[in-house]
Amino acid sequence: MARPRKPLLSRDRIVETASALVDSEGLDAVSTRRLAAELGVSGPSLYNHFRTKDEILDAVADAVSAQVDLSMFDESDTRGWRAALHDWAVSYRAALTEHPHIVPVLAQGPGHHPAGLRVADAVCGAMVRAGWPPAQATYIGALMRYFITGSALGSFAHGSVDDETAYDRADYPHLGQAHLPADRRQKVDEGAFETGLRALVDGLSLQYEQLVPAGTVRPAPKRS
């Protein structure tokens, strides 16, 4: 039997094509008509895999969630909960900054999407094993998601312009370097994220000392 000239349409192929469109042109670039044209298929054939554009965008967001490193939350990992939380946050933000246009969709939460739920479950489970009460573990997961997605939604430093005259020292004496090239401004965003992340983890450490008796480690829930 002769092989088909074009690859068969699949859910993965649709997500991959939609992801490329979102990365290059933004969320508004994704439509059933545009995707069908990019894939070389008829529009109705997409509905065999996705019912709506929102479902497609959710799948793209979940594919980004799948890129986040969760190894630091493995029970065999020797990092403490503080280092694990820090390293996970860095990995999560790195994934989001690679795909900034999908961040507004990711910021809505994991919903019922497998990769997003695995992220939430890994964070919560690791915090509970470390001794955090389950409710507090949930709060920590939500808090970290707010902080990480918020940092990826926009850039403080990249909002400045490459024009020294826009920052007259007479008016803005502390913004003398705001006009510097983008690579220098990127360091501001990265430094701000790291400063905020360390402040969050340090603050959680203080709460932990008050909530969790020294040496307490909760066993992982038994799986049926």
Side-chain angles (χ1 to χ4, degrees), residues 122-145:
V123 176
C124 186
M127 295 304 103
V128 170
R129 288 196 305 273
W132 284 97
Q136 288 296 121
T138 300
Y139 301 156
I140 291 170
L143 165 67
M144 298 303 293
R145 185 171 64 81

Side-chain angles (χ1 to χ4, degrees), residues 2-218:
R3 297 177 64 183
R5 294 181 178 179
K6 296 179 180 178
L8 295 175
L9 188 62
S10 67
R11 184 181 179 90
D12 287 346
R13 189 170 167 233
I14 295 170
V15 172
E16 182 180 350
T17 302
S19 181
L21 279 176
V22 171
D23 284 346
S24 62
E25 301 181 35
L27 296 175
D28 291 340
V30 178
S31 67
T32 301
R33 179 178 298 179
R34 177 71 184 278
L35 278 175
E38 294 285 336
L39 292 162
V41 299
S42 62
S45 64
L46 298 178
Y47 296 118
N48 292 325
H49 302 276
F50 295 97
R51 293 174 297 178
T52 65
K53 169 184 172 177
D54 286 342
E55 284 191 358
I56 296 172
L57 292 177
D58 283 344
V60 171
D62 207 45
V64 173
S65 293
Q67 299 173 18
V68 180
D69 182 15
L70 299 177
S71 63
M72 65 286 296
F73 295 133
D74 291 343
E75 292 186 47
S76 59
D77 194 280
T78 59
R79 277 169 283 192
W81 70 265
R82 298 168 183 80
L85 204 61
H86 174 277
D87 294 349
W88 164 72
V90 171
S91 173
Y92 196 175
R93 182 175 182 269
L96 298 190
T97 54
E98 286 291 319
H99 308 279
H101 293 149
I102 200 64
V103 174
V105 179
L106 273 163
Q108 297 172 13
H112 59 275
H113 308 297
L117 289 172
R118 280 193 292 272
V119 171
D121 184 70
V123 176
C124 186
M127 295 304 103
V128 170
R129 288 196 305 273
W132 284 97
Q136 288 296 121
T138 300
Y139 301 156
I140 291 170
L143 165 67
M144 298 303 293
R145 185 171 64 81
Y146 300 153
F147 175 66
I148 297 165
T149 56
S151 74
L153 277 172
S155 165
F156 172 80
H158 284 195
S160 55
V161 296
D162 297 323
D163 180 5
E164 186 174 6
T165 63
Y167 308 101
D168 191 317
R169 291 180 180 274
D171 296 322
Y172 315 108
H174 303 294
L175 299 181
Q177 297 186 348
H179 67 284
L180 293 176
D183 61 336
R184 293 283 299 276
R185 295 201 300 268
Q186 183 175 351
K187 292 181 180 179
V188 173
D189 287 334
E190 293 174 350
F193 176 77
E194 182 65 25
T195 299
L197 177 56
R198 290 187 179 278
L200 280 178
V201 174
D202 287 347
L204 289 172
S205 295
L206 294 176
Q207 292 187 36
Y208 184 81
E209 292 172 2
Q210 297 172 357
L211 288 170
V212 184
T216 300
V217 177
R218 299 178 186 272

